[in-house]
Amino acid sequence: MSTTSDTTIEPQVRTIDGLSIRFAESEQRSNHALLLCPWPESLFAFEQMWGRLAEHAHLVAIDLPGFGRSERRDELLSPSAMGEFVVRAADSFELENPHVVAPDVGTGPVLFAAARQPGRLRSLVVGSAGTAFPLQLGSPLKEWIEAPDLEGIRSIDSRQIVSGALNDITQYDLPDRVREDYLTSYEGDRFVESMRFVRAYPTDLPVLRDLLPQIETPVQIIAGANDSPVPPVNAEFLHQRLRNSKLDVLDVGHFTWEDAADQYAALVTNWWRGGYAAAHSTSAD
């Protein structure tokens, strides 16, 4: 299996489930972690913390189908269906019992995967995602989900929409090459088509709500206190319903992994070093 250096994200491509999927990989270690890209970003969202996380685990970061630079399949663009793909991706990289870091659009899929395949994933780090039902979301996410169709959004330059979203990153100056990767990843119709995923929330989130109490997998939830599109009530919703969870709310907006990368990386590595096991044993007691 090919690898990148410990500190550098070097994208590669492989075919998973018949789709061309962009990924990056760090050096082999005894522990493994699958990192799922947030939206509207890509696997470069993990660049600030890549070296620190790679000291603790063999990392495989992927752009989910239809996000970043990975090929889209429309039937995968829902949290439930994407959860099945996440397991196939772990299988592709021979990750038998990995930790998973899945902020934003990765959250729903990994929770579905944990519910439907108990024990397959060692632990989860999630957050900054719509999970509460009835929906509790802010602008512009709420409007995108409730719009009767996507035609009005198709007429807007996708680079303008993505650039506007990235303006919510206020504590970190995105490197030009990373910003350009995000913008290019959603050019043409890629952004508007990726919206199918969040527009599936009204259908999928009621199902997920009922599955949450069954999940045994330990879950670290990280939310931004000042997250406007995804208020922290969504994180609290998870924390109240999951058996084995820990909640940390950071004093930033939506992009916790970018605006508070040091804190985020510390939470993740502490979780991997034993926090996830403690969360599970405390719940069991």
Side-chain angles (χ1 to χ4, degrees):
M1 191 181 298
S2 59
T3 62
T4 70
S5 73
D6 271 0
T7 59
T8 305
I9 289 182
E10 298 176 5
Q12 305 173 65
V13 175
R14 74 160 54 183
T15 300
I16 303 175
D17 195 29
L19 297 172
S20 176
I21 300 298
R22 187 171 71 163
F23 74 97
E25 190 174 6
S26 72
E27 292 183 356
Q28 286 289 342
R29 296 189 183 276
S30 57
N31 290 319
H32 307 279
L34 182 63
L35 281 56
L36 308 181
C37 73
W39 179 61
E41 298 184 314
S42 72
L43 52 80
F44 281 102
F46 301 108
E47 184 171 66
Q48 287 186 82
M49 65 184 86
W50 186 258
R52 282 169 286 182
L53 299 186
E55 293 175 0
H56 299 271
H58 160 231
L59 309 178
V60 176
I62 68 170
D63 285 344
L64 291 166
F67 298 93
R69 301 290 183 91
S70 289
E71 187 179 0
R72 181 179 80 243
R73 180 182 295 145
D74 287 350
E75 54 263 37
L76 291 179
L77 290 177
S78 72
S80 177
M82 193 70 82
E84 298 174 10
F85 176 85
V86 168
V87 174
R88 290 194 288 271
D91 291 343
S92 174
F93 288 97
E94 300 180 356
L95 307 179
E96 292 184 5
N97 187 224
H99 298 290
V100 185
V101 179
D104 195 74
V105 291
T107 292
V110 297
L111 290 170
F112 269 109
R116 290 169 172 166
Q117 297 204 31
R120 180 65 181 84
L121 307 175
R122 183 175 302 183
S123 80
L124 311 179
V125 178
V126 302
S128 301
T131 52
F133 193 85
L135 298 181
Q136 300 194 53
L137 301 169
S139 183
L141 191 54
K142 183 176 185 290
E143 288 79 11
W144 291 345
I145 292 171
E146 294 178 349
D149 57 54
L150 299 175
E151 295 314 305
I153 297 167
R154 288 185 189 278
S155 64
I156 304 173
D157 181 359
S158 64
R159 291 176 69 94
Q160 178 183 337
I161 299 174
V162 174
S163 182
L166 298 177
N167 286 338
D168 285 345
I169 301 174
T170 60
Q171 307 300 314
Y172 174 59
D173 290 329
L174 278 177
D176 290 343
R177 60 184 178 76
V178 174
R179 180 181 292 273
E180 184 58 31
D181 185 80
Y182 296 165
L183 294 173
T184 303
S185 290
Y186 298 94
E187 281 185 331
D189 70 349
R190 282 185 60 83
F191 181 80
V192 69
E193 293 299 333
S194 70
M195 293 175 64
R196 294 174 183 268
F197 182 93
V198 295
R199 285 169 63 84
Y201 281 2
T203 300
D204 279 18
L205 292 189
V207 179
L208 180 61
R209 174 195 58 197
D210 295 340
L211 291 173
L212 291 176
Q214 305 172 25
I215 295 174
E216 298 280 358
T217 308
V219 183
Q220 164 74 68
I221 308 162
I222 304 175
N226 309 311
D227 189 337
S228 295
V230 186
V233 65
N234 288 273
E236 295 159 3
F237 182 91
L238 291 181
H239 188 46
Q240 291 165 3
R241 288 163 177 79
L242 290 166
R243 295 184 182 184
N244 309 311
S245 67
K246 176 176 176 285
L247 171 61
D248 287 272
V249 180
L250 307 182
D251 189 22
V252 293
H254 178 73
F255 295 90
T256 53
W257 53 93
E258 302 262 32
D259 273 336
D262 288 342
Q263 292 172 273
Y264 198 102
L267 287 170
V268 172
T269 55
N270 288 337
W271 181 248
W272 290 349
R273 283 200 299 257
Y276 77 95
H280 194 277
S281 63
T282 300
S283 172
D285 293 343

